[in-house]
Amino acid sequence: MMYKTTLLLRGLSLALGLLGFLSSAPVWAQAARTVSGTVTSTSDGQGLPGVTVIVKGTAQGTTSDLDGKYQIQTTDNATLVFSSIGFTSQEIPVNGRATLDVALAEDTKQLNEVIVVGYGTQKKSDLTGSVASVSSEEIQAIPTPRPDQAIQGRVPGVQVATTSAHPGGTVQIRIRGGNSLQGSNNPLVVIDGMLGGDLQLLNPNDIASVEVLKDASATAIYGSRGANGVIIVTTKQGQAGKVQIDVSSFYGWQQITKKLDMLNAQQHAELLLANPLRPYTPNDPASYGTGTDWQDQIFQVAPMQSYQLSASGGSEKTRFLVSGNFYDQDGVIKNSNFQRGTFRLNLTQTVNDRLRFGNNITYSRSVNNLVKMNDGYGSQGSPVTMSALRFSPLIAPYDADGTYSPSLLPGDQLDNPLLILSDRIDRRTRNYLLGNAFAEYKILNDLIYKLNFGYILDEDLSERYDSRRLQSALNAGQATIANGRNTNWLLEHTLTYQHTFNQRHDLSGVAGFTAQGIRDVYNRTGGSGFPSDILTYKNLSLASTPLTPASNYTKQTLASFLGRINYSYDSRYLLTLSGRADGSSKFAANNKWAFFPSAALGWRISEEQFMQHIAAVSNLKVRLSYGITGSQAISPYQSLASFNLGSRYTLGTTTYTNGVQPGRVPNPDLKWETTGQTNVGFDLGLFNNRIDLTADYYDKKTYDLHYSKLLPTYTGYTSQVQNIGSMRNRGLELGLTTRNLIGPFTWTTSANISWNRNEVLELGDDTEFPLNASGGAMGAGFSQTGIIRVGEPVGNFWGYVFDGIFQNEAEADALAQSGAKPGTVRYKDLNQDGKIDNDDKTIIGNALPQYVFGITNQFSYKGFDLSIFLQGVQGNDVLNLNRFYLESVGGSNNALATTLNYWRGEGTSNTIQAPGESPGEMSTRFVEDGSYVRLRNLVLGYNLPNTVSDKLHLRQLRVYVSAQNLFTWTNYTGYDPEVNSRGGSGSTSSENLELGYDNGGYPGVKTYTVGLNLSF
């Protein structure tokens, strides 16, 4: 085997050397000279194969052979650059020499790379937990306003889904699956040490690195907030030296990824005439032509732009970074828009050898103009996308008098899509301040005390007005104004110790006490019955019917003791112990406190003596960990009794509305959700780390789930939050990086893939409970769309199995199904009792993917670079509720073009029912494969050569063009398979359980951008 490897390396070395020679340009305008020599390793003196040797400033190069020997044509005054993966590069002048031997030292930078972990840092080589890192270059490769979208597909075990492509839309992050049914499954976000940050309002250009902590060994130090994983964001800092000015900007165009194929006016008229019920009688179908394309009426090519300016620098004692950014994105649906401005100031002051202090402050203001999506069916007039799809193409956008045209029939309960965009205002303004101030004092050379104070102020203002012309406003006009204010303070005292004993025993640790308080205030008011739409929500006193005001106030506190010990013997045997004790005001006196410990072991096998002769293995480490983390992600006061205000009661003949009645029964034993997790992994580096492989297997079980247990009616209460049930997530993660080509032309591949299996293990005395996420306007046939059942994963869809169309009377008579006749929808009789009822309903799909993956290929040659990033999700289902409306044949509303294949008689169609018949109830007909592969990002850039940029007094100049979501390969028939209409609802249980729903969502978007980066 070693002999074959030797021949392979020799062949690759000679081939690369020949390629470098053939592609080189002549440089011997001066005296030509042949330089030869041997490249060896400083550690053992052995020859190094595959070392790239380049004449500096040219593309001329070669590579060393298997014995480390090389030969290259150059000039007397040239400089040779020697480089190899895993070794430190050297630049050596020729100075007229014919022989030049070079010894390269091993580059330990990769293994000694510092990774940010909870309350400290660690060398990558010393990590025992499962931690992934994303660099600032990777984050800034995608022009996006949010850093969480930039990490999508780049970290194994992390699923990032854009639940809505609306500008400023929501993003859902799950690390190793969801743990909770009713509590939040969102990971904890830590920004510059401040717990509870929001990635949506963070400027990606300010980020230095993002670390994702996945296993309990890494997250246990965050205790009751670590169960869902932790994302640590570190922002950029100024460096000592000259002041550096960085300017970056991009401009882009967005368009929808696809349009749905709908009936044109002639086709719609033909189906109306084919409907025996004939709700509307059109003229000659041919006279209508194609009619109005309502999708074209609401969609647009939308611009987006970003401008960034930063300055950084300082002295050895004072360092600073100040930056500002403005981002502006219009939506592909007209009148949707998102604007955000951010400002950052990071300062660090070193007073003396022992004292250092500083701050990290960012302020963000965003304004989001929303359009009506995902809800508002029935009498509310429908979401704008669904209205555009259903509005008849027979109708022109405007009547003869210039007003917006009504729907084909008054009872259609549809607003003109253009009227929705024109007469509905939904503006969200958000002011967000996040900052921390810290001081570090070196008590001893190995002992540092740190005081950190962090603060978040998050203010949100929602202003909405529905004009009198919209059905949702009941011809009266409706206005609401709501505002929220969240404050979050954090105080931390930590001691950090690090010392090496006898050059082999490395011991480090951290211990601390923290306290945190969060306060939420919410107020809402409004009214209806406005005499005019001119002032919209700006004068609520004009409303004839005021809305009953609402307000809310909550407060929560958390106190914690934390600690971690890291021990390394001879850089081979690693041990990590950590734990955190949390006391939360959310829980009752019986369970205020809980302790969350973890332990991890690591063995760097590659450092053992018996591995030293295996040159192909440059790094091999195995890891094992187990730990317990928790979740307190429920609303405050859930353990306490509550009362409902505003109840009606009568005394004599007078009715009052200020009654008080019991609302929630107390639970003095309510406690934390707890997750125990085992992780086994290994890290493998081959051929001087030209190949890096990381693998992790995890098994985590969450018990004491928070679950609203239904109570008997005689108690007077409906439910009580209890610790009932358990859930399990198991999975495998693989990450691979290969440096395929090095030298003048480089090619690097990074790929990852993750599998996760979820299972509900226990629900107390219950075995299942139903879900209804249809939106409430689809009738009794959609009263249950999902189910949570013991032994099954979350995300299951529930309904009948679609079995085609009844073709004749004999088939209809043979099965006792309500309304059965030729041309109607047919379902499978699963229990074979000759009738269709609830006993024939079953699990008909699941929204969780089998696996998710991402793969990036990066190429560079001279100043050019090319990045190709593919991302995908496989094995998940999507419930396309849109088809219930869009596959109705011959109605007054428009339909999909597939309805042209409707049933006309026996044998004519087995997929689409006859005109005038219902599309049916909840069934497999509406469940589709949501798998996709997407060209997420394509970037081509050019960096101006240093010789040119120096003359222009520039440190760097880079221009690039890029495309996002350029191609999507999928069988899903809706706008976009990456959709979840319930993902941004604001309801935690909906986000956890009602997965994979498409119900009038925002269409997918592809983007083209041109960008410029300047550094002075």
Side-chain angles (χ1 to χ4, degrees):
M1 183 63 183
M2 288 296 296
Y3 178 70
K4 292 182 179 179
T5 302
T6 300
L7 288 178
L8 178 60
L9 287 173
R10 185 186 297 272
L12 285 173
S13 300
L14 293 176
L16 289 172
L18 180 60
L19 179 62
F21 177 77
L22 291 175
S23 63
S24 62
V27 296
W28 46 87
Q30 308 172 42
R33 174 175 296 280
T34 299
V35 178
S36 60
T38 303
V39 185
T40 58
S41 169
T42 57
S43 61
D44 55 15
Q46 298 296 312
L48 292 177
V51 176
T52 301
V53 185
I54 300 177
V55 179
K56 185 176 180 180
T58 74
Q60 182 184 355
T62 186
T63 55
S64 60
D65 63 16
L66 188 62
D67 298 319
K69 298 184 181 300
Y70 74 94
Q71 180 175 308
I72 190 171
Q73 293 290 324
T74 183
T75 61
D76 288 343
N77 297 325
T79 297
L80 298 183
V81 181
F82 299 82
S83 62
S84 179
I85 296 294
F87 292 85
T88 303
S89 300
Q90 289 194 40
E91 296 185 7
I92 302 178
V94 175
N95 291 336
R97 289 175 286 183
T99 302
L100 193 58
D101 295 330
V102 179
L104 298 183
E106 291 188 11
D107 184 3
T108 59
K109 178 181 178 181
Q110 182 179 11
L111 294 179
N112 290 336
E113 177 186 352
V114 175
I115 302 295
V116 179
V117 294
Y119 299 96
T121 60
Q122 280 186 270
K123 291 191 300 183
K124 185 177 180 180
S125 59
D126 291 341
L127 286 175
T128 55
S130 181
V131 180
S133 183
V134 182
S135 67
S136 61
E137 291 78 13
E138 292 176 296
I139 293 172
Q140 295 170 28
I142 298 180
T144 174
R146 346 180 13 141
D148 43 12
Q149 291 176 322
I151 68 175
Q152 184 177 27
R154 298 187 183 276
V155 179
V158 178
Q159 184 179 6
V160 180
T162 303
T163 58
S164 173
H166 193 295
T170 56
V171 172
Q172 188 178 81
I173 304 176
R174 293 293 180 263
I175 299 177
R176 295 183 167 181
N179 300 319
S180 182
L181 296 176
Q182 294 185 197
S184 173
N185 283 318
N186 296 326
L188 172 68
V189 175
V190 181
I191 301 175
D192 288 330
M194 182 62 200
L195 281 65
D198 190 340
L199 293 175
Q200 180 182 5
L201 298 176
L202 189 64
N203 178 12
N205 296 294
D206 290 338
I207 294 177
S209 68
V210 173
E211 271 75 31
V212 181
L213 315 186
K214 297 183 287 185
D215 75 328
S217 171
T219 63
I221 200 165
Y222 290 105
S224 63
R225 289 168 291 184
N228 300 326
V230 181
I231 297 177
I232 300 179
V233 178
T234 304
T235 59
K236 296 176 180 177
Q237 303 292 324
Q239 303 298 322
K242 294 182 178 180
V243 175
Q244 297 180 357
I245 306 296
D246 295 290
V247 179
S248 61
S249 176
F250 67 78
Y251 187 89
W253 304 264
Q254 308 158 89
Q255 63 185 59
I256 58 172
T257 54
K258 65 182 289 188
K259 286 174 56 179
L260 300 190
D261 189 12
M262 307 298 295
L263 299 174
N264 62 31
Q266 179 177 339
Q267 293 167 336
H268 189 209
E270 290 171 349
L271 291 192
L272 280 167
L273 293 174
N275 186 352
L277 302 177
R278 197 163 301 171
Y280 178 84
T281 303
N283 299 321
D284 177 17
S287 65
Y288 291 102
T290 58
T292 302
D293 188 328
W294 286 100
Q295 293 181 89
D296 287 345
Q297 292 293 319
I298 68 168
F299 294 143
Q300 65 178 354
V301 175
M304 59 185 292
Q305 53 193 319
S306 175
Y307 305 96
Q308 165 90 9
L309 174 64
S310 67
S312 62
S315 63
E316 291 297 328
K317 289 186 174 293
T318 304
R319 291 177 294 162
F320 73 92
L321 180 142
V322 59
S323 71
N325 174 268
F326 176 73
Y327 178 85
D328 185 9
Q329 179 186 8
D330 286 345
V332 293
I333 296 181
K334 296 174 182 178
N335 293 345
S336 58
N337 172 268
F338 177 77
Q339 291 183 333
R340 188 193 64 198
T342 60
F343 173 80
R344 171 169 292 278
L345 176 62
N346 291 351
L347 291 172
T348 303
Q349 177 68 46
T350 300
V351 179
N352 52 44
D353 292 341
R354 293 190 177 276
L355 180 61
R356 184 173 76 102
F357 61 86
N359 68 261
N360 303 284
I361 299 174
T362 184
Y363 170 75
S364 171
R365 177 180 173 86
S366 64
V367 178
N368 197 356
N369 290 300
L370 304 171
V371 293
K372 189 177 181 182
M373 307 299 306
N374 297 320
D375 61 3
Y377 286 90
S379 60
Q380 297 297 304
S382 194
V384 64
T385 49
M386 186 55 62
S387 181
L389 294 171
R390 298 177 65 194
F391 226 66
S392 173
L394 302 175
I395 305 172
Y398 305 94
D399 280 343
D401 60 0
T403 59
Y404 293 104
S405 301
S407 57
L408 199 61
L409 296 177
D412 283 342
Q413 295 186 329
L414 282 179
D415 283 318
N416 185 312
L418 296 177
L419 179 63
I420 298 176
L421 297 179
S422 169
D423 280 29
R424 187 178 193 266
I425 300 173
D426 192 352
R427 179 178 293 111
R428 311 287 172 87
T429 304
R430 193 170 175 191
N431 292 292
Y432 186 80
L433 173 69
L434 182 149
N436 74 308
F438 66 89
E440 291 182 352
Y441 183 74
K442 186 181 293 185
I443 302 173
L444 303 171
N445 288 336
D446 301 321
L447 184 64
I448 298 175
Y449 165 75
K450 182 176 182 179
L451 171 66
N452 180 60
F453 177 77
Y455 185 79
I456 294 176
L457 173 63
D458 188 357
E459 294 181 329
D460 179 83
L461 174 65
S462 174
E463 301 163 310
R464 176 174 164 179
Y465 184 79
D466 290 11
S467 87
R468 298 177 302 162
R469 297 188 292 182
L470 292 171
Q471 295 191 35
S472 59
L474 304 176
N475 298 316
Q478 289 183 348
T480 57
I481 297 178
N483 62 75
R485 179 184 175 91
N486 172 276
T487 56
N488 181 345
W489 62 264
L490 173 70
L491 182 64
E492 298 177 326
H493 303 270
T494 56
L495 286 171
T496 302
Y497 176 81
Q498 185 169 5
H499 188 77
T500 301
F501 300 90
N502 299 326
Q503 298 183 345
R504 288 195 172 188
H505 303 274
D506 291 325
L507 180 65
S508 65
V510 62
F513 169 78
T514 76
Q516 189 167 15
I518 299 174
R519 186 180 69 171
D520 278 293
V521 179
Y522 173 81
N523 302 285
R524 187 196 68 188
T525 187
S528 62
F530 289 86
S532 170
D533 292 326
I534 296 176
L535 294 178
T536 64
Y537 54 79
K538 297 180 179 67
N539 190 343
L540 297 181
S541 65
L542 295 177
S544 60
T545 307
L547 177 71
T548 302
S551 62
N552 188 47
Y553 175 92
T554 63
K555 181 180 179 180
Q556 55 184 291
T557 55
L558 184 76
S560 308
F561 297 91
L562 60 93
R564 180 179 59 233
I565 296 175
N566 295 305
Y567 172 73
S568 169
Y569 174 73
D570 201 24
S571 297
R572 288 183 290 167
Y573 310 115
L574 312 172
L575 170 67
T576 300
L577 300 173
S578 63
R580 182 173 182 132
D582 280 336
S584 173
S585 64
K586 287 185 176 181
F587 297 102
N590 297 349
N591 291 293
K592 286 290 186 186
W593 287 85
F595 180 64
F596 305 97
S598 76
L601 297 171
W603 180 21
R604 294 189 63 197
I605 303 175
S606 55
E607 297 302 302
E608 296 289 355
Q609 189 62 37
F610 62 80
M611 291 291 295
Q612 301 310 305
H613 69 283
I614 306 179
V617 179
S618 46
N619 178 47
L620 176 59
K621 178 173 66 176
V622 293
R623 297 174 278 105
L624 172 65
S625 71
Y626 178 79
I628 297 174
T629 52
S631 174
Q632 53 151 344
I634 60 171
S635 300
Y637 317 126
Q638 294 299 304
S639 65
L640 304 178
S642 70
F643 295 89
N644 295 331
L645 306 179
S647 300
R648 297 171 62 90
Y649 66 95
T650 301
L651 291 177
T653 60
T654 305
T655 300
Y656 300 89
T657 60
N658 60 347
V660 178
Q661 67 180 25
R664 180 174 58 233
V665 62
N667 183 357
D669 297 317
L670 187 66
K671 58 185 177 180
W672 324 77
E673 291 186 339
T674 304
T675 299
Q677 181 175 185
T678 301
N679 192 94
V680 181
F682 72 86
D683 305 312
L684 175 64
L686 300 174
F687 308 114
N688 293 325
N689 293 320
R690 288 191 64 171
I691 300 176
D692 283 325
L693 173 66
T694 298
D696 283 276
Y697 170 80
Y698 61 89
D699 188 343
K700 62 177 181 175
K701 179 182 177 181
T702 303
Y703 49 94
D704 293 331
L705 288 176
H706 294 151
Y707 174 57
S708 292
K709 174 70 174 177
L710 295 178
L711 300 177
T713 55
Y714 62 77
T715 65
Y717 299 93
T718 57
S719 64
Q720 180 191 47
V721 178
Q722 300 180 2
N723 293 106
I724 294 178
S726 59
M727 185 186 299
R728 189 178 195 179
N729 285 277
R730 291 180 291 175
L732 176 66
E733 304 165 356
L734 298 176
L736 176 66
T737 299
T738 61
R739 297 158 182 87
N740 309 310
L741 293 176
I742 57 177
F745 180 80
T746 65
W747 172 24
T748 302
T749 301
S750 298
N752 68 83
I753 187 170
S754 307
W755 295 264
N756 183 73
R757 296 294 178 267
N758 172 272
E759 181 183 0
V760 177
L761 300 177
E762 183 187 359
L763 291 174
D765 297 333
D766 299 330
T767 59
E768 63 184 45
F769 63 86
L771 298 173
N772 179 14
S774 65
M778 304 179 72
F782 287 81
S783 61
Q784 181 179 353
T785 56
I787 190 169
I788 300 298
R789 173 180 285 177
V790 172
E792 296 285 342
V794 299
N796 278 331
F797 302 123
W798 179 262
Y800 293 115
V801 176
F802 179 69
D803 197 27
I805 306 298
F806 285 108
Q807 298 296 317
N808 50 52
E809 290 286 354
E811 288 185 1
D813 294 340
L815 185 63
Q817 176 179 316
S818 177
K821 63 179 179 179
T824 60
V825 170
R826 172 177 178 162
Y827 303 113
K828 276 192 176 182
D829 181 15
L830 295 183
N831 61 1
Q832 298 183 353
D833 62 354
K835 62 181 179 180
I836 299 298
D837 54 22
N838 285 336
D839 292 336
D840 295 300
K841 293 182 178 180
T842 186
I843 294 173
I844 56 176
N846 185 269
L848 297 180
Q850 296 284 330
Y851 61 92
V852 297
F853 66 91
I855 180 170
T856 302
N857 281 285
Q858 293 178 305
F859 308 88
S860 66
Y861 179 71
K862 294 186 177 180
F864 291 94
D865 59 83
L866 174 66
S867 177
I868 304 172
F869 174 34
L870 291 168
Q871 177 262 334
V873 174
Q874 296 293 307
N876 62 300
D877 295 312
V878 175
L879 179 56
N880 190 350
L881 291 173
N882 306 311
R883 289 176 53 190
F884 171 78
Y885 299 101
L886 301 180
E887 289 186 354
S888 294
V889 184
S892 58
N893 298 325
N894 201 11
L896 292 166
T898 53
T899 57
L900 292 172
N901 184 35
Y902 64 87
W903 187 88
R904 298 170 176 82
E906 186 170 354
T908 56
S909 176
N910 203 35
T911 57
I912 303 294
Q913 72 282 354
E917 301 296 341
S918 169
E921 301 182 22
M922 175 68 185
S923 71
T924 55
R925 173 176 183 170
F926 309 110
V927 178
E928 301 186 38
D929 181 11
S931 304
Y932 69 86
V933 177
R934 176 166 284 164
L935 181 53
R936 177 68 67 178
N937 196 39
L938 177 67
V939 182
L940 176 62
Y942 177 72
N943 290 276
L944 202 65
N946 291 337
T947 54
V948 179
S949 59
D950 289 344
K951 294 178 181 179
L952 299 175
H953 304 288
L954 296 175
R955 192 161 47 89
Q956 182 194 34
L957 189 154
R958 181 174 186 266
V959 294
Y960 64 91
V961 293
S962 68
Q964 290 75 51
N965 304 332
L966 190 58
F967 299 107
T968 300
W969 295 271
T970 182
N971 292 322
Y972 183 62
T973 63
Y975 277 126
D976 190 3
E978 189 182 3
V979 63
N980 185 9
S981 294
R982 307 295 177 253
S985 64
S987 167
T988 300
S989 59
S990 294
E991 293 177 356
N992 293 344
L993 306 179
E994 298 170 1
L995 309 176
Y997 286 76
D998 188 355
N999 191 18
Y1002 205 91
V1005 174
K1006 65 175 65 175
T1007 306
Y1008 307 90
T1009 57
V1010 178
L1012 169 70
N1013 297 328
L1014 275 174
S1015 298
F1016 300 92

